[in-house]
Amino acid sequence: MLDDLSSWLRVVHIFSFAAWMAAMWYLPRLMIYHVGTEPGSVTSETFKIMERRLLRAIATPAMVSTWIMGLWLATDLGYWSSGWLHAKLLFVILLSAYHGIISAHVRKFANDERPKPERWYRILNEVPTVIFIIILIFVVFKPF
């Protein structure tokens, strides 16, 4: 069992996805609080550091690892002809686009811009949850 490559790929894939999702849930939450701070204040500077480190040290490496392990798994297990995988990949692409949007906002906050109001970040904060649930449904039930 311990020498089963696909099991280890699954472990790394699930771990990476969990780390990526945690970051995608936490980054907009930080922005909700950050948008209400005075540019240049100690609190604003702290949020900048937190957002940058979370994005660079956790979110982006976890996203890359999720993609690599997922593609490797799909190939190793022969899932490329499965409709559920294509549907899942559509939502992983949407989550990757969401990651890009969040990354752009981290850069804007780093430049002391406040591009959107707090309410926008509150709504944005719900997007990864919806995508997460849809991905889980495709993976668990493999509906087609």
Side-chain angles (χ1 to χ4, degrees):
M1 179 67 171
L2 289 177
D3 61 349
D4 181 16
L5 177 62
S6 65
S7 293
W8 285 108
L9 292 174
R10 280 187 185 122
V11 166
V12 176
H13 182 62
I14 292 167
F15 175 80
S16 298
F17 186 60
W20 187 21
M21 287 305 305
M24 292 297 94
W25 283 317
Y26 192 45
L27 272 166
R29 177 58 47 189
L30 288 174
M31 292 173 187
I32 289 166
Y33 301 128
H34 193 169
V35 77
T37 65
E38 185 68 32
S41 69
V42 173
T43 305
S44 178
E45 295 304 311
T46 301
F47 279 125
K48 287 180 192 181
I49 292 167
M50 293 170 69
E51 292 159 358
R52 184 186 72 242
R53 287 182 179 171
L54 182 57
L55 182 66
R56 289 183 183 171
I58 296 172
T60 300
M63 178 187 68
V64 170
S65 178
T66 298
W67 270 102
I68 291 169
M69 294 301 116
L71 295 172
W72 193 351
L73 265 172
T75 301
D76 190 56
L77 299 174
Y79 285 153
W80 285 110
S81 62
S82 302
W84 67 268
L85 177 67
H86 299 159
K88 174 192 169 186
L89 284 173
L90 171 65
F91 286 93
V92 175
I93 289 167
L94 290 175
L95 186 61
S96 298
Y98 176 87
H99 182 111
I101 291 166
I102 290 294
S103 298
H105 283 266
V106 167
R107 285 189 300 275
K108 289 176 182 179
F109 275 107
N111 292 326
D112 285 326
E113 297 175 33
R114 302 296 190 265
K116 301 287 183 181
E118 178 185 323
R119 180 168 166 73
W120 192 86
Y121 292 105
R122 289 189 181 281
I123 293 167
L124 188 69
N125 193 45
E126 303 309 320
V127 171
T129 301
V130 173
I131 294 172
F132 176 74
I133 291 167
I134 293 168
I135 289 171
L136 283 181
I137 289 169
F138 285 126
V139 170
V140 171
F141 294 106
K142 297 176 178 51
F144 42 85

